[in-house]
């Protein structure tokens, strides 16, 4: 009598050879003999389960796949297959559990994410289904799939299109609910442009930008003038900032003396946006008062008069997004390469504090040379760049302001909408990276 291992090896070889030549019946017989010797063989269990499913015995297929999972609990593909068959049986909660467990082991299984969305939708868990569908799109498109019909398997095309429609409807419902209280408060006509803005964000309508040089990377607000640089008289509060420039400069010098700065772009991203015309590498440093809406209390305490002045201004305030206020320190020879900002609902203001020769800002092809102590405000959704070709350090105080062409109601709506979009993107794991300001 042959030892069990020899028998199992022979059965497996026979089964695989039969399968390769298209003889499924012989392959099944060989795998069933293998299971008599090794009842926990996951490969054999999965093959026989597929055969049972082909004969319409869904419950038997589930039992075999459950046994395969017990044999190989870390095999994500087994859990995916188990979840798929459980869905055929109408066991949507069990399917969701299996698919979720499999995705914890292999997050890139985008078809499993799609099926998880279907299961959750069947269970009436619409928000969770939307997140699962979004995760499926992200995972698939990261691998070059589901970008078009040609990159989508024919058997999945209708399911993928359904998921896309489901996500679109879900996001529309979610963000509509955010704006609705403001519609009730201010009236629908007052928020007509906000409704157009949301439709553009959701790709329900084209942006139709009036100036081809302008291209926001996140949120375009229609119906307001497109300008590169804004007239000073639109921001009368900046006069107080200019009067305080000397005081702010004193606190800046203390910061520079202690060299308490951080790279604006972090430690790994400078090569993507910075270049150098000097012998040393480029360096763009920052001393933040607010970063993505978070107040840096220690920095504010270090510069109390600057901080008090900033807090007295009507800065953009959006939870976890704005304001963004800082000393922006551009080292000698550094060039911030052309890039675009996220939205035309807010503008960027520079108060120049240290301005050596050969330093400038270019927005939409229009060059501005900083004047020490004199504010300049621009729309950074136009392609813009800045450079310091001198041998000295350039410093400006950066702050953000609402676009003055937005009404009070529109500012309130944008505040709530952007915060809600941020919450949703974070929950779904699809948060976009925001380009920096110059």
């Amino acid at each position: 009598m042959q030892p069990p291992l020899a028998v199992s090896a022979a059965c497996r070889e026979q089964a695989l050879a039969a399968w390769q030549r298209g003889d499924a019946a012989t392959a099944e017989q060989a795998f069933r003999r293998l299971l008599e010797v090794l009842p926990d063989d996951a490969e054999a269990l999965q093959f026989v389960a597929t055969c049972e499913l082909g004969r319409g015995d869904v419950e038997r297929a589930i039992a075999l796949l459950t046994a395969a999972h017990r044999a190989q609990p870390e095999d994500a593909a087994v859990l995916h297959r188990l979840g798929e068959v459980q869905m055929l049986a109408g066991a949507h909660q069990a399917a969701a559990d299996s698919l979720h467990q499999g995705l914890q082991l292999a997050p890139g299984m985008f078809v499993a994410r799609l099926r998880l969305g279907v299961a959750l939708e069947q269970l009436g868990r619409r928000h969770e289904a939307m997140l699962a569908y979004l995760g499926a799109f992200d995972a698939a498109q990261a691998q070059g799939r589901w970008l078009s019909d040609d990159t989508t398997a024919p058997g999945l095309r209708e399911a993928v299109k359904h998921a896309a429609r489901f996500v679109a409807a879900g996001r529309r419902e979610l963000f509509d609910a955010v704006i609705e209280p403001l519609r009730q408060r201010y009236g629908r006509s007052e928020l007509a442009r906000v409704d157009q803005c949301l439709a553009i964000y959701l790709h329900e309508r084209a942006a139709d930008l009036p100036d081809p040089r302008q291209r926001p990377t996140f949120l375009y607000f229609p119906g307001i003038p497109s300008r590169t640089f804004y007239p000073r008289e639109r921001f009368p509060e900046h006069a107080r900032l200019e009067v305080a420039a000397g005081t702010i400069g004193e606190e800046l010098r203390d910061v520079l003396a202690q060299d308490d700065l951080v790279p604006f772009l972090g430690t790994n991203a400078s090569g993507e946006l910075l270049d150098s015309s000097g012998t040393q590498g480029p360096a763009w440093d920052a001393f933040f008062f607010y970063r993505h809406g978070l107040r840096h209390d220690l920095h504010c305490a270090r510069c109390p008069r600057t901080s008090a002045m900033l807090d007295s201004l009507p800065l953009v305030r959006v939870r976890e997004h704005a304001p963004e206020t800082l000393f922006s320190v551009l080292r000698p020879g550094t060039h911030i390469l052309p890039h675009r900002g996220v939205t035309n609902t807010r503008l960027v203001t520079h108060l120049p504090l240290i301005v050596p020769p050969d330093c400038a800002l270019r927005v939409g092809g229009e060059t501005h040379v900083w004047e020490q102590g004199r504010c300049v405000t621009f729309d950074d959704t136009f392609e813009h760049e800045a450079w310091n070709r001198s041998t000295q350090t350039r410093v400006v105080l950066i702050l953000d302001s609402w676009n003055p062409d937005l009404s009070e109601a529109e500012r309130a709506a944008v505040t709530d909408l952007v915060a809600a979009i941020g919450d949703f993107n974070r929950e779904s794991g699809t948060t976009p990276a925001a380009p920096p300001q110059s």
Side-chain angles (χ1 to χ4, degrees):
M1 179 180 292
Q2 288 183 304
L5 287 178
V7 172
S8 65
C11 289
R12 192 183 309 279
E13 182 178 356
Q14 182 183 5
L16 294 176
W19 177 244
Q20 287 177 357
R21 65 175 182 267
D23 186 354
T26 299
E28 181 183 1
Q29 292 173 1
F31 271 130
R32 286 188 180 277
R33 288 196 300 274
L34 190 157
L35 288 173
E36 293 173 2
V37 180
L38 297 176
D40 293 333
D41 187 274
E43 182 180 31
L45 288 166
Q46 290 179 82
F47 189 92
V48 176
T50 299
C51 295
E52 295 287 10
L53 186 63
R55 289 189 284 268
D57 194 340
V58 178
E59 295 302 326
R60 179 60 183 157
I62 290 174
L64 289 163
L65 289 168
T66 301
H69 169 54
R70 285 196 300 267
Q72 290 190 349
E74 300 301 310
D75 191 326
V78 172
L79 283 161
H80 182 185
R81 183 62 170 157
L82 175 58
E84 179 186 7
V85 177
Q86 287 167 328
M87 287 179 64
L88 292 173
H92 295 111
Q93 183 58 62
D97 293 341
S98 297
L99 292 165
H100 180 72
Q101 189 176 348
L103 287 165
Q104 288 181 315
L105 296 169
M109 294 193 304
F110 51 87
V111 177
R113 289 193 181 278
L114 180 68
R115 291 187 170 124
L116 175 60
V118 173
L120 292 169
E121 186 181 349
Q122 291 295 319
L123 291 167
R125 292 155 60 180
R126 294 181 57 81
H127 186 72
E128 293 174 74
M130 179 170 56
L131 296 179
Y133 285 143
L134 268 174
F137 281 110
D138 283 348
Q141 292 175 355
Q143 299 176 49
R145 309 295 290 276
W146 297 4
L147 300 170
S148 63
D149 277 356
D150 291 341
T151 56
T152 306
L156 290 176
R157 285 175 189 165
E158 287 308 311
V160 168
K161 289 176 181 177
H162 167 80
R165 291 191 297 268
F166 189 93
V167 168
R171 292 207 304 167
R172 160 57 73 178
E173 181 181 346
L174 176 67
F175 299 139
D176 257 340
V178 171
I179 298 174
E180 185 58 30
L182 293 170
R183 295 191 186 109
Q184 297 296 324
R185 177 180 174 185
Y186 292 102
R188 286 189 172 272
S189 62
E190 289 295 315
L191 294 177
R193 296 194 301 190
V194 175
D195 289 331
Q196 295 169 23
C197 173
L198 178 57
I200 292 168
Y201 174 74
L202 294 174
H203 303 291
E204 297 171 354
R205 59 173 287 177
D208 194 23
L209 281 83
D211 190 323
R213 297 175 299 167
Q214 184 181 29
R215 195 161 67 244
T217 62
F218 165 52
L219 190 73
Y220 172 65
F221 196 96
I224 57 178
S226 291
R227 296 189 178 98
T228 50
F229 294 96
Y230 274 68
R232 291 167 52 82
E233 57 267 22
R234 300 300 303 274
F235 306 94
E237 65 275 6
H238 289 171
R240 293 190 291 113
L241 193 62
E242 292 176 341
V243 169
T247 299
I248 295 170
E250 291 175 7
E251 294 186 332
L252 165 65
R253 284 189 285 275
D254 178 63
V255 168
L256 294 176
Q258 298 191 36
D259 198 23
D260 191 12
L261 304 172
V262 297
F264 184 96
L265 299 171
T267 56
N268 299 317
S270 62
E272 301 172 7
L273 195 61
L274 300 184
D275 198 3
S276 176
S277 60
T279 56
Q280 297 181 336
W284 179 15
D285 295 321
F287 183 87
F288 289 103
F289 298 98
Y290 281 86
R291 176 68 158 163
H292 304 315
L294 178 66
R295 190 175 194 268
H296 287 221
D297 291 333
L298 292 177
H299 286 186
C300 290
R302 284 269 307 279
C303 303
R305 291 174 292 181
T306 302
S307 176
M309 173 56 67
L310 289 170
D311 285 341
S312 74
L313 297 174
L315 304 176
V316 179
R317 297 188 183 275
V318 179
R319 176 172 48 81
E320 298 182 358
H321 290 78
E324 188 105 335
T325 60
L326 63 142
F327 290 138
S328 173
V329 181
L330 206 58
R331 300 299 186 180
T334 299
H335 182 188
I336 303 174
L337 299 175
H339 60 285
R340 288 183 171 88
V342 294
T343 177
N344 63 331
T345 61
R346 68 104 172 92
L347 304 174
V348 179
T349 294
H350 289 181
L351 173 65
L353 299 169
I354 300 177
V355 187
D358 246 351
C359 293
L361 167 71
R362 180 177 292 154
V363 181
E366 301 172 24
T367 300
H368 172 87
V369 177
W370 290 289
E371 298 178 51
Q372 190 160 323
R374 186 175 175 85
C375 288
V376 58
T377 299
F378 63 97
D379 184 341
D380 73 342
T381 64
F382 287 81
E383 185 177 75
H384 59 287
E385 58 186 310
W387 59 84
N388 176 5
R389 295 172 183 155
S390 77
T391 58
Q392 305 169 56
T393 293
R394 180 234 69 175
V395 185
V396 300
L397 175 67
I398 291 181
L399 56 146
D400 42 18
S401 305
W402 282 110
N403 190 310
D405 293 308
L406 268 63
S407 69
E408 175 189 344
E410 290 169 336
R411 294 179 186 187
V414 169
T415 297
D416 291 350
L417 181 59
V418 170
I421 290 172
D423 291 343
F424 178 78
N425 287 340
R426 183 172 54 254
E427 185 181 14
S428 64
T430 59
T431 306
Q437 302 167 358
S438 297

